[in-house]
Amino acid sequence: MNLKRILFDTDPGIDDALAILLALASPELEVDGISVINGNCSVDNGAANALAVLELAKANHIPVARGFDLPLVQPSLLAPETHGNTGLGYAKLPAPKTKPVAQHSVDFLAEKILSAPGEITLVCIGPLTNVAVAIRKEPRIVQAVKDVIIMGGAIRHQGNTTPVAEFNVYVDPHAAHMVYHSGMPITLVPLDVTYQCILTPDDVRRLQKIKSPIPQFVADSTRFYMEFHDEFQKIEGCVINDPLALALTFAPELCDYEEHYVDVDISGGVSMGNTYADFYKMTKNAANMKVALGVRARDFVELFLERMEQLSKKISE
Ligand code: RIB
Ligand code: CA
């Protein structure tokens, strides 16, 4: 089987960490690298978290690069109330023994994509600052990348950071605007589908039947995340946005898609960071991305659980 080669650009973050573990648990995928951006936590915490999660899964051969610690224009916005001060909730992983590569994420992403034209799928599950600057610095990646999966935006769904804006886009709406209009082959995975994908306390208890560090990490990290969802959004469980975006690299059939012209508001008013689709083609602009608008949510959560169980057994052998 030809492995699908992926690169992450991520702000790990609890659901980002689960997406990285899902990638490592998926035999269809080869993870070429992890680029880190600020967002859920600082880029330093994010890089340390990425390295620690890779070591947890015995995958520390995978390179990690540090990116920007600030958005292009907006002030810094982190999410300690959602992901905790470290970015991984209540989870306590050993300090990583490995270090990030010396290369900045912008150069790391460009070099990896240009080294394998038409082969790399870029999985963007954080604010898009690194990707936007990489496009400006090395425009050839637009044609060289195989495809781009972006967890971001809220199309018909309400925002999770303002009433109309989703976190990854709101942190750096200017970067999102640059990426949305870059010409890259984008599949957008908005809150419309990710908010249907809820990991419940029963799901976590199922994983904990396996005595292994991974279920313990899932339990400790998501316990913080579930408390946030319960307190602020009355959700019993937690929304696993990023693992759904990753899963579409090998199981696209989990979602239903429509092609639309999509834009993001950077006008600076109350709807700053709002990602919207031109459903009635009023702008006369050609579609610039595929948008996932339907999802088989429980099928996805079951797939996630099965793969976490497989990975947990594998690393405990
Ligand atoms: O809005 C959800 C997204 O913002 C997820 O990627 C989460 O990890 C945060 O980065
Ligand atoms: Ca994320």
Side-chain angles (χ1 to χ4, degrees), residues 11 13-16 40 83 125-127 151 160-161 166-168 191 225 241-242:
D11 59 335
I14 293 166
D15 60 328
D16 303 69
N40 289 324
H83 294 264
I125 52 176
M151 193 279 122
N160 64 355
T161 305
E166 175 277 326
F167 181 79
N168 287 337
L191 300 184
Y225 200 34
N241 309 282
D242 296 339

Side-chain angles (χ1 to χ4, degrees), residues 206-226:
R206 165 178 155 181
L207 285 184
Q208 287 185 291
K209 288 181 183 143
I210 300 172
K211 293 304 164 221
S212 158
I214 288 183
Q216 194 54 52
F217 171 76
V218 174
D220 294 343
S221 59
T222 58
R223 189 167 74 254
F224 187 99
Y225 200 34
M226 287 183 186

